[in-house]
Amino acid sequence: MTHPRPAPSPTPPRWPHCGHGTTLEDPVGCRGIHVPGHIMCLAHLADADRDAYLASLTPGADIDHRGTPFTQRLLDPLLNALRDPTTRLPRLGNARFDSAIFKGNTWFKSATFEGDAGFNAATFKGDVGFKSATFKGNAGFNAATFKNNTWFNWAIFEGNAGFESVIFEGNTWFDSATFKKHAWFDSAIFEDSAWFESATFKDSAGFKSATFKDSAGFKSATFEGDAGFESATFKGSAGFKSATFKGNAGFKSATFEDFTGFESATFEGFAWFLSATFGRFTGFESATFKGEAWFGSATFTGHAWFRSATFQDTVKFGSAIFQDNAWFEEAVFERSVSLGPLVCAGRVRLSGAMFSGPAILLFAARSLECRRTRWSSTAELRLRYATVDFAHAVFEYPLTIAADADPFVLPDGHPVTEETLAGAPDATVRMASLRGVDAAHLVLADVDLSRCLFTGTVHLDQLRLEGTCSFDKVPPSTHWQGWRPVRFTQRRTLAEEHQWRASQPTAIRGWNVAVFGAGSVGPAQMAPVYRALRKAFEDGKNEPGAADFYYGEMEMRRHDRTGTTRAERGLLHGYWLLSGYSLRASRALGWLAAAMLVTIVLLMGFGLPQDSPKQEATGTVPPGGGKVTFEIDKTDPKNPTGNRFTGERFEKALNVTLNSVVFRSSGQDLTTAGTYIEMTSRVTEPVLLGLAILAVRNRVKR
């Protein structure tokens, strides 16, 4: 940002100097300019000549005392000679004090400089007071040195004001000062506190490369033109609270080493903080950015607060680095926003923020909190490392949350450095909560949902899951619950189920009890969630994935003692026991094998007769011959009295059992008990076979 410069100072490079006190070491001696009509400066002029000169002065007269050494005893008579008899205040015309040395306290309080005022390269060794002074022409203090405290409170600069390369070694006050034209403090050095509170800069203000070694206060200052703080260094706290920047504000490459406060500041033009470095605390709370706000490549080494800030135009944080937390709570983004790619070693908090325009957020952060955010346009969140809390967020258009496997790439092709996240375990993006969200427009891609809370999510069945979205699993291996072993078949589970099962009196070790925020959610609340996720997977043509959530739904119904009747729970328990809700083929096949074995044993023991029944024909021959009628019948099958478990009987029992599995009759002669055994097996075994086939189908269907 450039500003027009005033006309060069009329001070010539050399002037007729006094020469008083010359030595071998200092052959020039006193550098004070001659008093008109004399060959000495005012400091070394004879008393009578000095009195005559002072008596010749009138209010508003031009004076030239460049290089003159002043004491307070010399300056006071000079100012007294220039006092206006009406106001009793000094009134000067063109006043030239370039390279002058003020050894004691210097007071120009309420003085009026009607022409140009030149103090370039002047040295002020005591306190300096320009309180309420008025500079109607240009005021030049370039390269001046203020050794002690300096006051410019309520001063009015009607012309250009130059403070370039000035050194302020004491406290400096410009409170309520008014700069009506250009003001330059480029390369100025403030060794102690500098205060510009309520100051008004009606034209451009330049602080380029200025150094503030202690506190710098611009509270309630008003910059009506451009404000340039490029490459400025603030080693102490910098306060811009309630400041107003009506023109462009440039802080490119500025360095803020301590607390920085822009609370309630207003930026009406462009705000550039490109490559700026902020210290241990930076506050932009309630700040208003009416123009574009650029924080590209900025570095925040401490907390960064943008709470309740308003961005009315485009905002960019490309390549910004937050070494601690970044808080954007309640912030308002009225137009397009591009936050990132940025790196945050702590938490990024966007809770309560409002996005009115398209948003692209590229974050590599440990945590991202988006609770109660409102998105009124399309948005894309591409993340790394982050744990995302999206509870009660509201969005009216498609919103995508996706994980990037590789580091973000800058426009120049270089990857974003992630050194501040070196201690993070991996770049996995984890969802913490979707409670209260209407998921109809939500897309999740390649995120970890193992700790995500889903209860209370609306339209969860319309959630789109892309890529590899992982859920939590049941405890692995076999566990013992008292005397009996317990083993869970692997499936996708909700974080809420982990918390609920871990809280049960008979909990098995391995269920995660430390699910933050899960609350007292029971089976009645989890069953609809599993049902909705099942439908979401089915709509995505992922039947095997949907099967896990169907299993979870049935499990919650089986354990629900409020919405499921006792009879229904018993039926579901049997369904689970026999086939795992037609999803566990191994379980159904196991029961089928057991049923077949029992059937074989029963048939060998009680169902097969000792011998195959033989047919018998009986009839009566009529007397005298004629037609003979025979009745053919079988003998009743009889249980064996000898060895029932023989190879021959096993083969027959197996034949009967296999035919029963496929719902066929073997045609084998059976005892009465065997007939009932076969009837029972012809009902149960085909059902178990059907459950096994259905379980296989549910795992391979597409």
Side-chain angles (χ1 to χ4, degrees):
M1 187 181 298
T2 59
H3 310 290
R5 289 289 191 264
S9 172
T11 304
R14 297 180 59 129
W15 55 77
H17 52 79
C18 175
H20 184 271
T22 57
T23 63
L24 291 176
E25 292 78 12
D26 184 11
V28 177
C30 176
R31 291 162 176 76
I33 195 170
H34 296 170
V35 173
H38 301 276
I39 60 172
M40 290 288 184
C41 70
L42 184 63
H44 299 110
L45 199 62
D47 292 343
D49 293 337
R50 183 186 304 116
D51 292 341
Y53 167 72
L54 294 177
S56 68
L57 297 178
T58 59
D62 295 339
I63 57 174
D64 186 355
H65 295 290
R66 289 170 287 172
T68 302
F70 279 93
T71 63
Q72 189 171 357
R73 294 182 60 184
L74 178 61
L75 180 62
D76 286 347
L78 175 63
L79 295 180
N80 288 334
L82 297 170
R83 290 186 184 276
D84 190 306
T86 304
T87 62
R88 302 301 302 162
L89 299 176
R91 182 159 57 87
L92 296 77
N94 292 320
R96 306 179 70 180
F97 291 93
D98 303 304
S99 300
I101 299 174
F102 297 87
K103 296 181 179 180
N105 295 332
T106 303
W107 303 108
F108 285 89
K109 181 178 180 181
S110 301
T112 300
F113 296 84
E114 296 183 344
D116 292 339
F119 289 87
N120 299 308
T123 301
F124 299 86
K125 295 185 176 182
D127 291 342
V128 180
F130 284 89
K131 285 185 179 181
S132 302
T134 301
F135 299 85
K136 293 188 176 182
N138 296 327
F141 289 85
N142 300 321
T145 300
F146 296 84
K147 295 283 187 180
N148 217 327
N149 297 329
T150 305
W151 287 269
F152 280 89
N153 312 60
W154 300 285
I156 299 175
F157 298 84
E158 297 186 2
N160 297 318
F163 288 87
E164 293 185 84
S165 302
V166 172
I167 299 176
F168 296 92
E169 297 185 7
N171 294 317
T172 305
W173 287 270
F174 281 87
D175 297 340
S176 301
T178 300
F179 299 85
K180 294 187 177 182
K181 288 189 177 180
H182 307 300
W184 290 276
F185 289 84
D186 298 344
S187 301
I189 298 176
F190 297 85
E191 299 278 355
D192 215 318
S193 300
W195 305 100
F196 289 82
E197 295 186 2
S198 300
T200 300
F201 298 85
K202 292 185 174 293
D203 210 311
S204 59
F207 288 84
K208 183 177 181 180
S209 300
T211 301
F212 298 84
K213 295 186 177 181
D214 208 307
S215 301
F218 289 84
K219 179 180 179 181
S220 300
T222 301
F223 298 85
E224 298 186 6
D226 293 343
F229 288 85
E230 294 88 346
S231 301
T233 300
F234 297 83
K235 294 182 176 292
S237 60
F240 289 83
K241 183 176 182 180
S242 301
T244 300
F245 297 84
K246 294 186 177 181
N248 299 325
F251 289 85
K252 182 179 180 181
S253 301
T255 300
F256 301 86
E257 298 185 3
D258 206 324
F259 171 88
T260 307
F262 285 88
E263 297 88 344
S264 301
T266 300
F267 299 85
E268 297 189 4
F270 291 163
W272 283 291
F273 290 88
L274 301 175
S275 302
T277 301
F278 297 89
R280 58 192 180 97
F281 185 92
T282 305
F284 283 88
E285 290 187 88
S286 301
T288 300
F289 297 85
K290 295 185 177 181
E292 293 186 7
W294 287 22
F295 288 84
S297 301
T299 300
F300 299 83
T301 59
H303 291 286
W305 294 66
F306 289 85
R307 180 182 292 168
S308 300
T310 300
F311 300 89
Q312 297 182 1
D313 208 323
T314 303
V315 54
K316 295 183 179 181
F317 278 83
S319 304
I321 296 176
F322 295 83
Q323 296 181 5
D324 212 308
N325 299 324
W327 290 358
F328 290 84
E329 293 175 297
E330 309 293 338
V332 177
F333 301 89
E334 297 186 2
R335 292 188 62 185
S336 62
V337 54
S338 177
L339 297 182
L342 62 81
V343 179
C344 180
R347 293 183 296 168
V348 178
R349 300 182 66 176
L350 287 167
S351 294
M354 297 179 62
F355 296 85
S356 299
I360 299 178
L361 278 61
L362 285 76
F363 292 164
R366 293 183 185 273
S367 175
L368 174 60
E369 183 181 298
C370 296
R371 299 173 63 88
R372 303 179 308 281
T373 51
R374 179 176 292 274
W375 312 76
S376 299
S377 186
T378 56
E380 180 181 11
L381 283 72
R382 305 200 66 85
L383 309 172
R384 286 173 55 78
Y385 298 97
T387 298
V388 186
D389 186 351
F390 226 70
H392 305 287
V394 178
F395 40 93
E396 305 169 11
Y397 294 88
L399 186 145
T400 301
I401 301 176
D404 269 28
D406 300 318
F408 299 120
V409 178
L410 299 174
D412 59 6
H414 292 85
V416 174
T417 178
E418 297 178 345
E419 294 178 357
T420 57
L421 293 167
D426 53 54
T428 303
V429 176
R430 300 169 177 84
M431 293 298 299
S433 178
L434 287 174
R435 286 185 171 178
V437 171
D438 186 340
H441 298 290
L442 181 60
V443 179
L444 302 179
D446 301 313
V447 298
D448 182 357
L449 299 170
S450 60
R451 294 293 181 268
C452 184
L453 303 179
F454 285 100
T455 52
T457 306
V458 182
H459 293 146
L460 188 57
D461 58 323
Q462 300 180 38
L463 173 68
R464 287 183 55 190
L465 299 175
E466 304 288 346
T468 304
C469 292
S470 59
F471 287 81
D472 210 346
K473 302 292 186 180
V474 299
S477 69
T478 302
H479 303 267
W480 289 90
Q481 192 175 54
W483 57 270
R484 64 186 181 91
V486 177
R487 181 179 178 84
F488 297 96
T489 306
Q490 287 300 309
R491 63 181 174 89
R492 297 176 176 89
T493 58
L494 297 179
E496 289 94 335
E497 182 178 352
H498 268 261
Q499 189 272 343
W500 172 75
R501 287 189 181 272
S503 64
Q504 301 303 303
T506 58
I508 299 297
R509 186 178 60 184
W511 293 103
N512 181 22
V513 68
V515 181
F516 178 75
S520 57
V521 176
Q525 291 78 32
M526 286 185 282
V529 176
Y530 274 115
R531 187 181 306 118
L533 288 173
R534 172 176 62 85
K535 185 177 183 301
F537 272 72
E538 289 174 345
D539 291 343
K541 305 303 179 182
N542 186 353
E543 294 290 343
D548 282 350
F549 295 102
Y550 174 71
Y551 193 103
E553 176 192 356
M554 301 300 286
E555 278 287 272
M556 294 303 100
R557 289 178 58 195
R558 182 168 70 92
H559 289 286
D560 181 14
R561 295 182 177 275
T562 59
T564 306
T565 64
R566 186 172 183 178
E568 186 178 352
R569 290 201 307 275
L571 181 62
L572 291 173
H573 191 85
Y575 193 20
W576 162 77
L577 188 63
L578 291 176
S579 64
Y581 312 113
S582 295
L583 293 173
R584 303 294 181 257
S586 59
R587 191 178 304 180
L589 290 174
W591 281 109
L592 176 60
M596 292 173 64
L597 179 61
V598 171
T599 300
I600 291 173
V601 172
L602 291 177
L603 286 174
M604 292 176 66
F606 306 100
L608 296 176
Q610 182 176 1
D611 299 309
S612 299
K614 298 180 179 180
Q615 292 183 342
E616 296 181 351
T618 60
T620 303
V621 178
K627 186 177 181 181
V628 180
T629 301
F630 293 93
E631 292 182 0
I632 299 175
D633 198 2
K634 281 186 177 181
T635 58
D636 292 334
K638 297 181 180 179
N639 287 321
T641 57
N643 187 7
R644 304 185 183 192
F645 298 97
T646 63
E648 181 182 358
R649 290 175 65 80
F650 173 77
E651 182 178 355
K652 291 181 179 181
L654 179 61
N655 186 15
V656 174
T657 302
L658 291 177
N659 279 280
S660 297
V661 171
V662 294
F663 210 73
R664 291 177 56 192
S665 175
S666 65
Q668 179 69 44
D669 292 320
L670 301 174
T671 64
T672 302
T675 301
Y676 285 106
I677 293 172
E678 183 187 34
M679 292 171 59
T680 304
S681 66
R682 288 178 65 186
V683 172
T684 57
E685 291 168 6
V687 171
L688 293 173
L689 178 62
L691 291 175
I693 295 174
L694 184 60
V696 173
R697 177 182 178 276
N698 287 334
R699 284 300 180 184
V700 300
K701 180 183 177 183
R702 287 292 179 185

